[in-house]
Amino acid sequence: MKFQGTEAYVATDDLKVAVNAAITLQRPLLVKGEPGTGKTELARQVSQALGLRMIEWNIKSTTRAAQGLYEYDAVSRLRDSQLGDDRVHDVRNYIRPGKLWQAFDSDDQVVLLIDEIDKADIEFPNDLLQELDRMEFHVYETGETIRAKQRPVIIITSNNEKELPDAFLRRCFFHYIQFPDMETLKKIVEVHHPGIKEALLTTALTQFYEIRDQQGLKKKPSTSEVLDWLKLILAEDLAPEDLRAGATDALPKLHGALLKNEQDVHLFERLAFMARRQR
């Protein structure tokens, strides 16, 4: 079972190696990188390429590790006992399986995505160590042990907002998605906007990389943002000359797709003002 990328996802050679190494080692693949570089989409494409169902666990700041195993609804059981409901005699009626339980209980192998693990509390990764390592966990209310019928392909993403514990990192195969170079980004654009004219694409991407490389930029625009920008450029039927003019006389054309805070907008306004004064 090898991942070779898909028609809808341009995977670099080192990313393919990382995915296949994690599958071979039967370890979670921890993927880091800037927001918008395709980390979440990677899991979806691995699922599609390997023909495996995907289970997605989106992590929030309030998410607890135990929720990935199961949740016991004691409040509902108490209410049902007060109402004399017969369901109350079987505790299983009040246990809701989490995403890990669903992945472990699947008869077929699945891809389990644990998305943006760095959003959760710092103890969250440590609380999953044993479960991910042993592929099993204990349900205290019923006394049963849930073991993985088929070891899932686990992909964990992180935006690097906080450091992950060393013990957790030891159990993962790690890959950092570098921001794509010009040629790779052209291939990505071709997937999403096939047939875009070479002159327009080259001019747009040259300007895009100049924006990303600008000193003092608070948030660099990402891959997803340049795709949105190009979609707007095509919708407005802009020519390369329009983009060149915008680069020297004012803010970049349709800059709201690329610059996402007032500090960066002010930075480019100042640069444009200084450029006009020097003429």
Side-chain angles (χ1 to χ4, degrees):
M1 188 165 59
K2 293 283 186 181
F3 175 66
Q4 299 296 339
T6 68
E7 292 182 359
Y9 189 90
V10 177
T12 58
D13 290 340
D14 57 341
L15 180 55
K16 295 176 193 173
V17 168
V19 172
N20 291 320
I23 292 173
T24 300
L25 294 172
Q26 296 187 325
R27 290 189 177 277
L29 173 63
L30 174 61
V31 185
K32 289 187 178 183
E34 294 180 31
T37 50
K39 301 184 297 295
T40 302
E41 187 61 25
L42 170 65
R44 299 189 179 112
Q45 296 301 322
V46 168
S47 168
Q48 179 182 323
L50 302 182
L52 305 178
R53 181 169 65 93
M54 191 176 89
I55 295 174
E56 190 168 345
W57 187 14
N58 297 299
I59 307 302
K60 302 177 181 178
S61 59
T62 55
T63 304
R64 295 176 293 106
Q67 292 173 303
L69 308 181
Y70 66 92
E71 290 184 275
Y72 170 53
D73 192 351
V75 174
S76 292
R77 192 181 190 195
L78 175 61
R79 183 194 63 227
D80 287 349
S81 68
Q82 293 170 339
L83 296 174
D85 194 320
D86 287 340
R87 296 175 69 249
V88 74
H89 300 298
D90 188 352
V91 69
R92 290 179 177 82
N93 291 323
Y94 304 93
I95 291 178
R96 292 195 295 269
K99 299 297 184 179
L100 261 73
W101 186 329
Q102 294 172 31
F104 287 3
D105 200 43
S106 174
D107 291 328
D108 300 317
Q109 189 176 32
V110 300
V111 172
L112 173 63
L113 168 63
I114 304 177
D115 201 24
E116 298 188 333
I117 194 173
D118 52 325
K119 280 187 176 180
D121 182 84
I122 188 63
E123 290 304 319
F124 180 93
N126 280 333
D127 292 342
L128 289 177
L129 284 179
Q130 297 301 322
E131 289 78 8
L132 293 180
D133 204 28
R134 297 180 180 177
M135 288 285 126
E136 66 178 37
F137 63 88
H138 187 68
V139 182
Y140 294 97
E141 289 76 9
T142 64
E144 61 185 322
T145 298
I146 304 299
R147 294 184 177 87
K149 296 177 181 177
Q150 299 282 345
R151 180 179 284 266
V153 176
I154 301 175
I155 298 178
I156 303 171
T157 72
S158 169
N159 288 327
N160 233 3
E161 291 182 7
K162 61 170 68 82
E163 288 297 319
L164 298 174
D166 288 345
F168 181 79
L169 294 175
R170 281 200 303 272
R171 289 165 167 82
C172 298
F173 190 92
F174 172 76
H175 181 75
Y176 185 88
I177 296 182
Q178 298 286 350
F179 194 84
D181 57 23
M182 177 79 83
E183 290 307 311
T184 303
L185 191 51
K186 282 185 176 181
K187 294 177 183 177
I188 294 172
V189 170
E190 181 62 29
V191 169
H192 294 270
H193 304 297
I196 187 170
K197 292 180 180 178
E198 179 66 27
L200 178 61
L201 179 58
T202 300
T203 301
L205 292 188
T206 299
Q207 187 174 349
F208 170 73
Y209 279 103
E210 288 173 354
I211 294 171
R212 270 188 61 87
D213 293 340
Q214 179 60 53
Q215 293 294 321
L217 201 62
K218 184 176 181 181
K219 181 194 177 303
K220 294 182 178 182
S222 68
T223 309
S224 62
E225 287 158 342
V226 73
L227 292 173
D228 287 344
W229 186 50
L230 286 166
K231 184 177 182 179
L232 291 173
I233 289 172
L234 293 170
E236 294 292 327
D237 198 22
L238 298 180
E241 296 74 24
D242 299 321
L243 298 182
R244 296 191 192 102
T248 55
D249 293 340
L251 285 162
K253 292 285 187 181
L254 304 166
H255 65 271
L258 299 176
L259 306 176
K260 296 303 178 73
N261 61 70
E262 62 276 12
Q263 177 180 315
D264 291 343
V265 172
H266 293 330
L267 171 63
F268 278 89
E269 285 176 338
R270 289 195 302 272
L271 292 172
F273 175 73
M274 292 170 60
R276 288 195 295 269
R277 289 190 61 183
Q278 292 172 0
R279 292 180 181 176

